[in-house]
Amino acid sequence: MSTENGGLPSIVSRSLGLAMLGGLIWYAIKHSPAPLFGFLGVASALVSIRIGQRGEERYGRRVPVTEMLALGRQGDRAMLVGGIAGYAMIVCFGIAAYVAF
């Protein structure tokens, strides 16, 4: 079964994602927030990559994060979200590295 069409596999994958996030929040409260920020960094990276791939359909090439912000300012909201997610990835990984060491 594929998650592309929605249905039960989509519900299961979202439930597992929420369970992982809940576990990481608990661990961040009790011990260290580094894994939580790492998880958020990976999630932001995946969002940015996915939007960059959609930009390939629109603009004929992969759109880098720095250009996503410029396209977002010109009215393409999806590119703006992708650019913000790309920079959020950098910030989350930076915080995770700072907290871990």
Side-chain angles (χ1 to χ4, degrees):
M1 294 178 75
S2 174
T3 59
E4 293 174 8
N5 297 331
L8 186 62
S10 177
I11 293 170
V12 170
S13 66
R14 287 186 181 154
S15 299
L16 288 174
L18 288 175
M20 287 176 54
L21 184 60
L24 287 170
I25 290 172
W26 172 82
Y27 189 83
I29 291 170
K30 294 291 183 183
H31 301 288
S32 169
L36 176 64
F37 281 111
F39 177 80
L40 293 175
V42 169
S44 297
L46 292 174
V47 167
S48 183
I49 289 169
R50 182 69 172 210
I51 291 174
Q53 288 174 343
R54 289 184 185 158
E56 188 174 359
E57 296 170 3
R58 287 188 205 153
Y59 301 107
R61 57 187 168 76
R62 294 282 309 263
V63 180
V65 172
T66 53
E67 194 174 337
M68 284 183 190
L69 287 176
L71 291 170
R73 284 189 223 121
Q74 294 174 1
D76 192 349
R77 290 182 186 235
M79 289 295 133
L80 181 63
V81 170
I84 292 171
Y87 283 110
M89 170 198 65
I90 295 169
V91 169
C92 287
F93 284 150
I95 292 172
Y98 178 77
V99 171
F101 298 109

